[in-house]
């Protein structure tokens, strides 16, 4: 009986192996502190997450528009063909019919007058917004030249791969043919070293003179803080604007670390390479990471919507000298950047540029893209306006094929149009 009691007590003992393993040292594994764990335990911002989700849907619709617009027979496509194209555009959760019914202010369904099959096209409102965006981008040639010049000025040797700029062309607000319309056109500023490498011509002279051609956006904020709030230069010379999300928990010692990091000197994005600090001496690792934060901050400031995909930053790592884990660096500074994980892609936002889910300082490109997003998010609401437009269109007399009959003298119009071209 005593033996049974000892066995029962051993089974309830805190040692998993019984009393004979009590002297064995148990090694507890420390919790991992990686980019994935920081991503899972970060403080969420619901408004920016929602905006990232809507932005992803808009990109899917725009990718479908590129496929439909490239069709030679006209700016429309059959629903059957759209179902086969949708997976290539990234639409894998909805069928073509569900997509058309979900966004009636973007897609317009009709029956083909000859083949009598179900077809769809983009509404005139959505197409007009796309044309307006293209017109605005064409007028921003001088501003786009400065953007490309700033990216080249931040690089290690004044060169950058055009492929990296092409991936974030829409974020920067560049036209589709920016290589021919901007880079090759401005031969006094840019030089094509290779088919995919562009170089800043006055790089060597700027390096020898040690002059700074541009001012980073964070420098303007520091000047305002120094002038308006009467802060000391020691506090604002190397500081960044910090805006933590609601519910962010501040642990013991975090404020002191943040204060020391704000005062830490670093090589600014547009400074000459001659004043570059060694990365491994005298706090060099932290200075190196802070320089990477400054470069990413300036790169996001150059975008129109102050956001971009995290994966596209990796294409600038070698040219801009950001040889660190980009996602881990972004998650390490939640007061400056916010990483949204809605959908397959991760989008990084510049926190200081947003108030809620809207930009603090809007621009023309952002306003047009916001109207596209609002038109898409209308869903099935306000569809009475669409019905009224269809009734007005059907009120026009048509023939058996659904076409408007030609009037006398209409044959002269294409002749005059070709004459005045």
């Amino acid at each position: 009986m005593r033996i049974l009691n000892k066995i029962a007590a051993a089974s309830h003992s805190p040692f998993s192996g019984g009393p004979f393993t009590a002297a064995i040292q148990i090694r507890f594994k420390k919790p991992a502190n990686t980019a994935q764990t920081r991503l899972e335990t970060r403080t969420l911002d619901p408004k920016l997450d929602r905006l990232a989700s809507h932005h992803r849907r808009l990109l899917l619709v725009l990718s479908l528009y590129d496929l439909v617009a490239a069709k030679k027979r006209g700016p429309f496509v059959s629903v059957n063909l759209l179902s086969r194209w949708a997976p290539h555009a990234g639409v894998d959760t909805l069928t073509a019919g569900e997509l058309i019914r979900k966004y009636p202010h973007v897609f317009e369904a009709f029956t083909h007058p000859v083949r009598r099959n179900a077809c769809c096209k983009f509404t005139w409102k959505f197409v007009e917004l796309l044309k307006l965006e293209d017109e605005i981008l064409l007028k921003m040639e001088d501003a786009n030249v400065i953007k490309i010049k700033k990216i080249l000025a931040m690089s290690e040797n004044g060169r950058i791969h055009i492929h990296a700029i092409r991936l974030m062309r829409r974020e920067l607000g560049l036209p589709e043919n920016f290589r021919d319309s901007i880079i090759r056109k401005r031969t006094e500023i840019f030089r094509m070293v290779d088919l995919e490498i562009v170089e800043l011509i006055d790089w060597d002279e700027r390096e020898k003179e040690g002059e700074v051609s541009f001012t980073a956006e964070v420098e303007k904020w520091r000047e305002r803080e120094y002038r308006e709030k009467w802060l000391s230069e020691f506090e604002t010379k190397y500081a960044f604007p910090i805006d933590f999300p609601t519910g962010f928990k501040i642990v013991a010692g975090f404020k002191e670390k943040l204060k020391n990091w704000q005062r830490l000197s670093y090589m600014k994005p547009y400074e000459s390479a001659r004043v570059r600090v060694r990365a491994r001496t005298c706090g060099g690792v932290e200075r190196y990471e802070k320089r990477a934060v400054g470069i990413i901050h300036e790169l996001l400031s150059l975008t129109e919507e102050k956001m971009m995909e995290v994966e596209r930053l990796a294409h600038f790592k070698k040219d801009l000298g950001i040889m660190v884990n980009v996602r881990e660096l972004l998650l390490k500074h939640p007061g400056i950047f916010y990483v949204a994980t809605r959908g397959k892609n991760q989008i990084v936002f510049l926190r200081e540029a947003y108030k809620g889910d809207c930009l603090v300082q809007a621009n023309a490109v952002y306003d047009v893209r916001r109207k596209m997003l609002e038109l898409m998010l209308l869903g099935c609401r306000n569809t009475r306006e669409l019905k009224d437009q269809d009734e007005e269109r059907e009120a026009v007399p048509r023939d058996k094929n659904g076409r408007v009959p030609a009037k006398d003298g209409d044959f002269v119009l294409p002749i005059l149009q070709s004459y005045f071209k």
Side-chain angles (χ1 to χ4, degrees):
M1 192 66 181
R2 293 179 181 178
I3 297 173
L4 293 176
N5 291 335
K6 288 182 180 180
I7 294 173
S11 63
H12 295 289
S13 65
F15 305 104
S16 59
F20 300 104
T21 61
I24 298 177
Q25 184 179 3
I26 300 175
R27 188 173 181 180
F28 294 96
K29 189 176 180 181
K30 292 183 179 180
N33 187 15
T34 60
Q36 185 63 29
T37 57
R38 287 176 181 169
L39 187 66
E40 295 172 354
T41 59
R42 77 190 190 282
T43 304
L44 298 179
D45 193 330
K47 294 183 179 179
L48 291 182
D49 284 335
R50 195 183 310 115
L51 179 60
S53 179
H54 296 335
H55 179 73
R56 177 176 174 272
R57 294 181 189 176
L58 180 60
L59 290 180
L60 293 178
V61 173
L62 291 176
S63 60
L64 280 176
Y65 177 80
D66 293 337
L67 292 174
V68 174
K71 197 170 178 290
K72 296 181 179 179
R73 294 187 177 181
F76 65 93
V77 66
S78 65
V79 178
N80 187 19
L81 188 60
L82 186 65
S83 300
R84 286 184 285 174
W85 284 358
H88 297 284
V91 184
D92 52 1
T93 57
L94 297 175
T95 62
E98 292 173 347
L99 190 68
I100 294 170
R101 288 192 296 268
K102 190 173 184 180
Y103 304 117
H105 292 272
V106 177
F107 298 98
E108 180 182 351
F110 66 98
T111 304
H112 196 275
V114 179
R115 298 184 178 182
R116 311 303 299 176
N117 59 340
C119 298
C120 72
K121 63 180 180 179
F122 286 85
T123 59
W124 66 272
K125 286 185 179 181
F126 192 80
V127 175
E128 287 295 325
L129 290 175
L130 289 171
K131 292 180 179 178
L132 180 60
E133 181 184 2
D134 293 337
E135 293 176 1
I136 294 173
L137 295 181
L138 290 176
K139 295 178 182 178
M140 293 171 54
E141 184 176 347
D142 295 336
N144 290 331
V145 169
I146 295 175
K147 287 180 183 179
I148 299 176
K149 196 173 179 181
K150 283 184 174 181
I151 295 175
L152 288 168
M154 286 190 291
S155 63
E156 291 274 313
N157 52 4
R159 296 182 180 183
I160 203 149
H161 287 75
I162 298 180
H163 175 69
I165 303 177
R166 188 184 294 113
L167 285 176
M168 56 180 298
R169 177 191 64 81
R170 189 176 184 276
E171 287 80 0
L172 290 173
L174 300 175
E176 189 173 358
N177 59 341
F178 69 93
R179 183 170 63 177
D180 298 327
S181 62
I182 296 178
I183 295 177
R184 289 183 174 175
K185 184 180 177 181
R186 301 298 181 100
T187 55
E188 71 279 3
I189 302 175
F190 308 113
R191 178 172 54 235
M192 294 294 296
V193 179
D194 196 356
L195 290 176
E196 286 295 322
I197 298 177
V198 61
E199 182 184 23
L200 195 63
I201 288 180
D202 59 345
W203 172 261
D204 296 333
E205 297 179 359
R206 193 177 69 87
E207 282 291 301
K208 291 178 182 178
E209 296 176 2
E211 61 181 14
V212 180
S213 303
F214 303 106
T215 303
E217 290 296 325
V218 70
E219 294 291 332
K220 301 176 183 178
W221 173 83
R222 291 166 183 166
E223 185 180 354
R224 289 195 302 268
E225 290 289 304
Y226 176 74
R227 185 178 63 253
E228 296 176 1
K229 296 186 178 180
W230 290 21
L231 298 176
S232 63
E233 186 180 1
F234 178 68
E235 296 288 339
T236 59
K237 189 175 182 180
Y238 300 105
F240 282 84
I242 303 295
D243 181 22
F244 292 110
T246 304
F248 181 79
K249 295 181 180 179
I250 299 177
V251 297
F254 177 78
K255 289 186 177 180
E256 189 67 24
K257 290 182 181 179
L258 179 62
K259 192 174 183 179
N260 295 332
W261 185 86
Q262 290 280 62
R263 295 173 177 176
L264 183 67
S265 63
Y266 71 103
M267 180 188 165
K268 299 176 182 179
Y270 299 119
E271 283 185 354
S272 174
R274 296 186 301 103
V275 297
R276 185 167 298 166
V277 186
R278 291 185 179 180
R280 298 293 177 183
T281 59
C282 192
V285 176
E286 293 184 358
R287 286 194 176 97
Y288 190 79
E289 290 184 353
K290 193 169 184 179
R291 168 173 165 77
V293 170
I295 291 176
I296 297 174
H297 184 280
E298 182 64 15
L299 202 60
L300 286 172
S301 299
L302 293 178
T303 59
E304 296 294 331
E305 299 176 273
K306 307 303 183 265
M307 64 176 178
M308 65 185 302
E309 294 184 7
V310 177
E311 294 181 358
R312 296 181 180 178
L313 285 172
H315 295 273
F316 289 94
K317 289 180 66 174
K318 188 174 180 180
D319 292 332
L320 300 183
I322 314 174
M323 304 309 292
V324 294
N325 189 336
V326 176
R327 189 177 67 164
E328 186 173 355
L329 185 68
L330 296 175
L331 294 170
K332 203 173 180 180
H333 301 278
I336 304 175
F337 310 109
Y338 180 75
V339 180
T341 57
R342 293 293 179 92
K344 296 181 181 179
N345 300 327
Q346 298 176 1
I347 300 177
V348 55
F349 291 87
L350 192 61
R351 290 199 57 85
E352 65 184 86
Y354 278 86
K355 185 177 182 181
D357 58 348
C358 299
L359 271 183
V360 177
Q361 296 181 355
N363 51 68
V365 178
Y366 170 78
D367 290 337
V368 174
R369 292 175 181 174
R370 191 77 180 187
K371 290 178 182 178
M372 291 183 197
L373 187 61
E374 291 174 356
L375 196 65
M376 190 186 70
L377 293 179
L378 277 176
C380 296
R381 290 171 291 183
N382 297 338
T383 52
R384 183 175 296 179
E385 299 178 0
L386 299 177
K387 292 180 181 179
D388 295 340
Q389 293 172 8
D390 294 338
E391 291 176 358
E392 292 178 1
R393 186 166 55 86
E394 292 176 357
V396 179
R398 298 173 183 270
D399 56 8
K400 295 181 180 179
N401 296 327
R403 301 174 182 175
V404 179
K407 298 180 181 179
D408 295 337
D410 283 354
F411 68 93
V412 184
L413 296 176
I415 299 174
L416 293 175
Q417 289 176 358
S418 61
Y419 178 76
F420 286 104
K421 279 184 179 180

